[in-house]
Amino acid sequence: MARSDAPSPPVSWGRSRISTACTLDCPDSCSLQVTVERGRIVRIEGSHDAPSTAGYICGKVRRFDRRVYSAERILYPMRRKGPRGHAAFDQISWEEALDLIVERIEEARTRYGAESILPYYYGGSNGLLTNELDDARFFRRLGASRLARTICAAPTGAAAAAMYGRMPGVAYEDYAHARLIVVWGCNASASGIHLVSHIKAAQNAGAKLVVVDPRRTPLARMADLHLPARPGTDLPVALAVINDLFERGRADLGFLHAHADGVDELRQAAAEWTIDRAAQESGLDPAALRTFAEWYGTIAPAVVRCGWGQERNRNGGGSSLAILALPAVGGKFGVRGGGYTMSNSAAWGIAQEALVDEPSPSTRIVNMNELGRALTEFDNPPVTVLFVYNSNPLSTAPDQNRVREGLMRDDLFTIVHEQVMTDTAVYADLVLPATTFLEHYDIARGYGAYHLQVVQPVIAPVGEAKSNRDLFHELSVRFGFAEPDDAGEAGALIEAAAKLPDGLGTALLQGQRPDPPKGRFPVQFVDVRPGTADGRIKLFPAGLTRDGSSPYRYRPNPGSDTYPLSLISPASPHTISSTLGELRPTIVKLKIHPDDAAARSIADGDPIRVYNELGEVHCEASVTPEVRPGTVALPKGLWARSTFNGSTANALVPQTLSDIAGGACFNDARVQVELKGRH
């Protein structure tokens, strides 16, 4: 591949500071000031335009120009030459690339039908214009298979929608009013860093901090109480606290009677989980769990920051339901700094379907967590064209070896639209250069901080990169789904903004950064209420689980003597999922507790083999009490270059699905660890 050392096509040959916003997959959606000189980025800083950014941004974004000008940047369309997976490509023109896409899609439609075409994408690092807009219109009109986008936030999203109708949550700034803060399944130091300063300010004002996480995260180290529950056992822990609230007369029965349904059913489900039983199941100290229940029952205002870590297992949906039920049972709503925060994306009232304005066909649905199975087993019809964008599935999807096997199929034509040569792109038949968020227009919507902002390009696209909007619009024109236009991305921005509710689009186009319709500091059950059909909390929502069982049914994952350790793959401070994985300079280290390491004669820095029946990862050991005994950790989103053998944590993750919404069960992986070379 050619290098991108030469300056990009200039926006301006002078020095300028341009305002824009970050769309990467983080709750905060920061406002940015980017300094550009001679058409090239020279500095990326946080601005004060979005209130919660307060001039500060994470190191990942501050140094994002390393990706923009990376030697691995994809600069032009390329067609595979030679064997798959050898990263050998010939440069071709965009005209040739688009012709080839049309040819292969038409072949697939003629031979197998349009459902043999599978778009694979996620879009957590994209705004409203670059994910599920022109791309959605194209694939819907094509009649392709539909993708269930369940790799993250599906169980939590389903739980929040069923119980509260996606009610907006407590703003970061209102954490200062809380006297008890519970952070559950969330490592804000790695994602959503602006919450940390508000938690510190609350602690300085006398608030207590409880962190539920199997690792000693930075927040856990500064917590008043850290509960390192075994992965997958968050459900009994939360139910035990709920049971304690009822049993000790601390449940707010008046509030529940006035605002909630399913109270008796929830109480019955929680009754079997005493503090002692839940502590035994979760590996917690009963006294510590009892302290948590005591604090939650007696301290107010109390806020729960519910993250996504607890959803990454077979009990993910039930765990999230139980955690979100706590403020209702405990009567924590109705005061500033009381209630919960999860995803606040619904606060704006923006429905992506209204922007797409194209009905979804009743075509086959493929769960993205089962990509390996789809590529190797589906035959009615088989997947013959795979179109990957906004995603790097070889690094992020479960059962990595099965995904790789599927990508190696001779009869599969894989298209990858990407910024740099990812692990997935290496296996592509056609690679297309994509813009970064610093090279195109978009609309960024925070899902933690209450930010809604216009994203504008600060430089011209590097090389021949195209945005998602331009790529899928051009394909739509070639297939006769759309007319050519001269307005381009700017016109798409104006068109989308005009469809936003409550005058939000007008405000954005006038350079404002509006607050949500109910305000930036909503008090739950004062300013905002449940969005359920009747406005009531559904504590025992029916019909959520895939097998029709109780939403609070606990499914233990005992492991085995052969594979006794729980493997978790949490977010990393170095990457956003797999984005920026190309910049990790060294071999990754598996975090393992000293007791588990000693039992295996493993010392810090030793080369090790982590394995189960699905695969194995060769890396190094980091012996540390940061993880609880019985649990080991590798970061999520690793690339092949980060291990000795090219496999990552996902090679050890089953394609099983969570209880609710078919989410990924990354933390259900059970493994053994040994010194490399032993058998």
Side-chain angles (χ1 to χ4, degrees):
M1 291 182 59
R3 294 178 60 87
S4 53
D5 300 10
S8 305
V11 174
S12 168
W13 285 105
R15 185 181 179 94
S16 58
R17 298 185 75 209
I18 302 169
S19 296
T20 188
C22 177
T23 64
L24 297 180
D25 193 359
C26 164
D28 293 2
S29 186
C30 292
S31 56
L32 305 176
Q33 282 284 339
V34 182
T35 303
V36 176
E37 189 170 336
R38 296 181 62 82
R40 193 175 176 92
I41 297 167
V42 296
R43 182 177 299 167
I44 304 173
E45 302 171 284
S47 79
H48 292 266
D49 291 342
S52 294
T53 304
Y56 175 74
I57 57 173
C58 69
K60 290 177 277 193
V61 176
R62 193 164 55 248
R63 297 186 294 273
F64 198 80
D65 58 316
R66 295 182 300 167
R67 166 166 276 214
V68 174
Y69 302 118
S70 168
E72 299 183 59
R73 188 73 195 267
I74 298 168
L75 300 175
Y76 38 73
M78 298 184 294
R79 184 172 185 172
R80 175 175 64 87
K81 64 177 181 181
R84 296 177 187 275
H86 284 229
F89 297 92
D90 282 328
Q91 178 179 351
I92 61 175
S93 69
W94 264 108
E95 193 73 13
E96 292 173 298
L98 294 172
D99 284 346
L100 182 58
I101 293 172
V102 172
E103 175 188 331
R104 297 308 294 260
I105 286 179
E106 290 289 23
E107 286 179 3
R109 285 207 298 180
T110 299
R111 184 172 182 182
Y112 295 106
E115 287 184 334
S116 67
I117 301 155
L118 176 65
Y120 194 95
Y121 62 104
Y122 185 65
S125 287
N126 295 77
L128 298 179
L129 299 186
T130 54
N131 183 63
E132 292 215 302
L133 193 58
D134 283 87
D135 54 319
R137 293 178 185 138
F138 173 71
F139 287 113
R140 289 180 182 190
R141 290 166 181 168
L142 195 64
S145 286
R146 292 174 288 165
L147 188 74
R149 296 168 61 242
T150 52
I151 207 160
C152 179
T156 47
M163 185 171 284
Y164 291 107
R166 301 182 70 196
M167 179 172 63
V170 178
Y172 286 0
E173 293 85 346
D174 278 346
Y175 277 60
H177 299 278
R179 297 281 67 87
L180 176 65
I181 299 171
V182 180
V183 177
W184 203 317
C186 169
N187 181 10
S189 300
S191 180
I193 196 168
H194 293 87
L195 178 60
V196 175
S197 61
H198 295 289
I199 291 176
K200 288 181 178 178
Q203 281 189 293
N204 291 337
K208 292 184 182 298
L209 173 63
V210 178
V211 173
V212 186
D213 197 299
R215 300 163 300 147
R216 288 179 59 194
T217 62
L219 277 178
R221 289 194 288 271
M222 59 186 266
D224 299 277
L225 182 63
H226 174 212
L227 298 174
R230 289 191 187 106
T233 64
D234 304 88
L235 176 57
V237 172
L239 289 177
V241 177
I242 290 171
N243 182 47
D244 190 79
L245 290 171
F246 279 115
E247 289 300 304
R248 301 181 69 182
R250 289 170 173 165
D252 191 334
L253 300 181
F255 175 87
L256 293 173
H257 177 76
H259 299 287
D261 298 326
V263 177
D264 292 340
E265 293 89 340
L266 172 60
R267 183 170 187 173
Q268 182 178 354
E272 64 179 289
W273 290 104
T274 64
I275 294 290
D276 287 337
R277 184 183 176 210
Q280 182 178 12
E281 183 65 22
S282 61
L284 294 176
D285 176 0
L289 183 51
R290 196 166 282 110
T291 297
F292 174 33
E294 175 75 18
W295 287 357
Y296 197 79
T298 58
I299 300 176
V303 60
V304 176
R305 185 7 164 168
C306 180
W308 294 267
Q310 79 288 337
E311 77 163 14
R312 294 161 65 89
N313 65 86
R314 64 187 63 195
N315 301 304
S319 298
S320 302
L321 283 170
I323 294 165
L324 292 173
L326 282 168
V329 177
K332 304 303 182 183
F333 291 122
V335 295
R336 193 163 297 282
Y340 71 86
T341 307
M342 203 184 72
S343 173
N344 286 326
S345 60
W348 304 93
I350 299 171
Q352 192 74 22
E353 282 296 312
L355 302 184
V356 176
D357 197 26
E358 175 72 27
S360 182
S362 57
T363 51
R364 175 174 67 181
I365 297 176
V366 177
N367 189 312
M368 68 188 308
N369 298 314
E370 298 181 307
L371 177 62
R373 185 172 295 127
L375 294 180
T376 58
E377 296 182 13
F378 284 17
D379 60 4
N380 189 29
V383 176
T384 59
V385 175
L386 178 68
F387 203 132
V388 178
Y389 61 102
N390 298 352
S391 184
N392 179 15
L394 194 55
S395 294
T396 58
D399 202 350
Q400 184 178 75
N401 290 329
R402 182 81 76 89
V403 174
R404 184 181 288 108
E405 177 188 346
L407 292 173
M408 287 293 293
R409 278 174 40 207
D410 289 334
D411 62 337
L412 176 70
F413 188 77
T414 301
I415 305 159
V416 175
H417 187 220
E418 187 53 90
Q419 299 161 7
V420 299
M421 187 57 66
T422 63
D423 289 354
T424 306
V426 165
Y427 288 84
D429 296 281
L430 181 64
V431 177
L432 307 174
T435 50
T436 70
F437 74 92
L438 296 171
E439 301 162 69
H440 58 234
Y441 286 100
D442 214 332
I443 298 174
R445 173 179 53 176
Y447 59 92
Y450 285 108
H451 295 164
L452 186 70
Q453 308 171 80
V454 167
V455 178
Q456 63 176 328
V458 302
I459 57 170
V462 172
E464 298 178 16
K466 288 184 184 289
S467 67
N468 287 346
R469 186 272 165 191
D470 284 352
L471 168 61
F472 287 108
H473 182 76
E474 289 184 31
L475 285 173
S476 294
V477 170
R478 283 176 175 258
F479 277 90
F481 301 152
E483 296 296 325
D485 69 49
D486 298 320
E489 286 183 335
L493 173 68
I494 294 170
E495 178 186 344
K499 296 180 180 180
L500 299 184
D502 299 306
L504 294 173
T506 300
L508 286 173
L509 295 178
Q510 291 176 348
Q512 303 172 27
R513 286 175 172 80
D515 289 339
K518 299 296 184 180
R520 190 160 59 89
F521 307 108
V523 176
Q524 293 175 315
F525 282 86
V526 175
D527 305 305
V528 293
R529 295 182 181 276
T532 53
D534 58 3
R536 292 176 64 82
I537 305 168
K538 306 301 178 183
L539 291 175
F540 201 89
L544 277 187
T545 56
R546 294 186 300 114
D547 61 5
S549 62
S550 163
Y552 297 106
R553 176 190 164 203
Y554 176 61
R555 299 162 175 83
N557 187 357
S560 67
D561 293 338
T562 307
Y563 305 117
L565 300 173
S566 296
L567 172 67
I568 60 174
S569 47
S572 163
H574 305 293
T575 63
I576 305 97
S577 192
S578 76
T579 301
L580 303 178
E582 74 276 15
L583 300 176
R584 291 188 69 100
T586 59
I587 295 297
V588 72
K589 294 180 182 294
L590 175 88
K591 292 181 178 178
I592 183 169
H593 190 273
D595 293 349
D596 295 321
R600 293 162 176 80
S601 301
I602 293 172
D604 193 65
D606 277 348
I608 55 172
R609 173 177 175 250
V610 190
Y611 64 96
N612 62 17
E613 70 279 2
L614 296 175
E616 58 186 63
V617 178
H618 298 174
C619 59
E620 295 178 347
S622 173
V623 180
T624 171
E626 183 179 320
V627 291
R628 60 161 292 123
T631 298
V632 293
L634 281 170
K636 74 174 179 179
L638 291 174
W639 289 25
R641 67 190 64 186
S642 293
T643 68
F644 290 122
N645 68 332
S647 291
T648 68
N650 286 23
L652 309 171
V653 173
Q655 291 186 73
T656 52
L657 304 177
S658 63
D659 51 349
I660 292 171
C665 294
F666 294 106
N667 293 350
D668 273 356
R670 295 296 183 266
V671 301
Q672 182 58 281
V673 179
E674 65 180 18
L675 279 171
K676 191 165 175 271
R678 288 187 181 174
H679 297 286

